[in-house]
Amino acid sequence: MHDDLHDFQSDITAISEIPAVSSILEVISETTGMSFVAVARVTEGRWVACKVLDSIDFGLKEGGEVVLETTICHEIRASHEAIAIDDIARSAYCDHRTPLQYGFQSYISVPIIHKDGTLFGTLCAIDPKPALVDNKKTLTMFRLFAELIASHLDARQLLIETEENLRQEKEVASIREQFIAVLGHDLRNPLASMTGCRFKCPRVPRTSRPSSAECHSPISCSIPISRSSERVTRIWR
């Protein structure tokens, strides 16, 4: 067993934040009579306990880990199919190293599958004595609980993604508003300075008119520039 589970802390936290999980483990234990019940995160190379109910002092706590290859859950990860054994000694698993190593005689495990079809882990239970678990009633109960846990995990992930998208949108909106403010300041200040200028035309006889070279006001030029800045501001908004 190992305690180095920092890389699985997010999974452990996700399960711990589902209020119903503790009650699910208690119901399973009381219904089946099995003394060790757990929700485990199962990957290609790891088996990690995320939530545990241990009435026999099995010694595995939340965050505890066992070698994946020594678990029957290793088979469930590959098949996505439940396994239920009433009595190890009378089953095809009588010589399997897992029950021999951990000393249990009854076993049940059901996959916890996300809505996208990927496997999170398993909902499993073991006991040092035989138990009636390989039946429709018990398997249906386990599957319903596994689906409930999976739906909570999916909903939690969706909430996290939505909050992150909202945070990014707020950040982009803030940057856009800052840009608009800077753009308006940079364009309008020079225009304001230009409108304060006055150019006097040279005195000429009333019968003649000054040429554009002799008298030119920047005021008229400011009008299209001002309108352009307004258009840019509207686009960015």
Side-chain angles (χ1 to χ4, degrees):
M1 298 183 186
H2 310 281
D3 294 322
D4 183 19
L5 295 173
H6 59 85
D7 51 337
F8 280 90
Q9 189 56 51
S10 61
D11 297 315
I12 297 169
T13 300
I15 293 297
S16 68
E17 290 180 353
I18 302 175
V21 170
S22 294
S23 298
I24 287 173
L25 301 188
E26 290 175 3
V27 169
I28 288 174
S29 181
E30 293 175 4
T31 303
T32 63
M34 304 183 83
S35 50
F36 181 88
V37 190
V39 174
R41 176 75 168 102
V42 181
T43 67
E44 186 175 353
R46 308 278 289 277
W47 188 103
V48 182
C50 294
K51 193 71 174 178
V52 172
L53 187 156
D54 185 2
S55 303
I56 56 172
D57 196 23
F58 184 67
L60 191 65
K61 307 296 183 182
E62 282 85 1
E65 182 177 354
V66 297
V67 178
L68 180 63
E69 288 74 18
T70 66
T71 68
I72 299 177
C73 289
H74 180 54
E75 300 177 19
I76 296 174
R77 186 197 66 80
S79 67
H80 288 199
E81 296 292 337
I83 295 177
I85 308 169
D86 292 340
D87 188 349
I88 295 291
R90 297 174 179 272
S91 72
Y93 289 85
C94 60
D95 294 324
H96 197 285
R97 65 173 177 172
T98 300
L100 293 175
Q101 180 174 345
Y102 297 112
F104 60 83
Q105 284 300 310
S106 54
Y107 173 91
I108 181 170
S109 185
V110 172
I112 299 171
I113 302 174
H114 292 292
K115 64 180 179 181
D116 64 0
T118 58
L119 179 78
F120 172 83
T122 60
L123 175 62
C124 55
I126 61 174
D127 196 87
K129 297 181 295 185
L132 298 177
V133 292
D134 189 9
N135 57 78
K136 183 178 179 180
K137 179 180 178 181
T138 302
L139 284 168
T140 298
M141 177 183 68
F142 265 77
R143 288 190 177 105
L144 288 174
F145 284 150
E147 289 173 5
L148 178 62
I149 293 171
S151 67
H152 275 282
L153 291 172
D154 289 336
R156 180 180 183 275
Q157 184 59 35
L158 179 60
L159 177 61
I160 291 174
E161 292 174 358
T162 301
E163 289 177 343
E164 175 60 20
N165 291 337
L166 180 60
R167 185 194 66 78
Q168 292 180 6
E169 289 178 4
K170 287 182 177 179
E171 184 177 339
V172 170
S174 176
I175 294 173
R176 182 168 59 244
E177 290 300 322
Q178 292 176 35
F179 174 80
I180 291 172
V182 171
L183 179 65
H185 179 272
D186 289 349
L187 286 179
R188 286 169 184 155
N189 272 13
L191 296 179
S193 299
M194 293 170 67
T195 57
C197 298
R198 294 292 185 270
F199 289 84
K200 293 183 178 181
C201 297
R203 292 182 179 181
V204 294
R206 292 184 178 180
T207 55
S208 64
R209 299 178 62 183
S211 66
S212 59
E214 293 174 321
C215 181
H216 177 73
S217 172
I219 307 301
S220 60
C221 296
S222 71
I223 296 174
I225 297 176
S226 178
R227 288 174 180 169
S228 296
S229 68
E230 291 174 359
R231 284 197 296 270
V232 172
T233 301
R234 283 197 300 270
I235 292 172
W236 274 86
R237 288 186 185 278

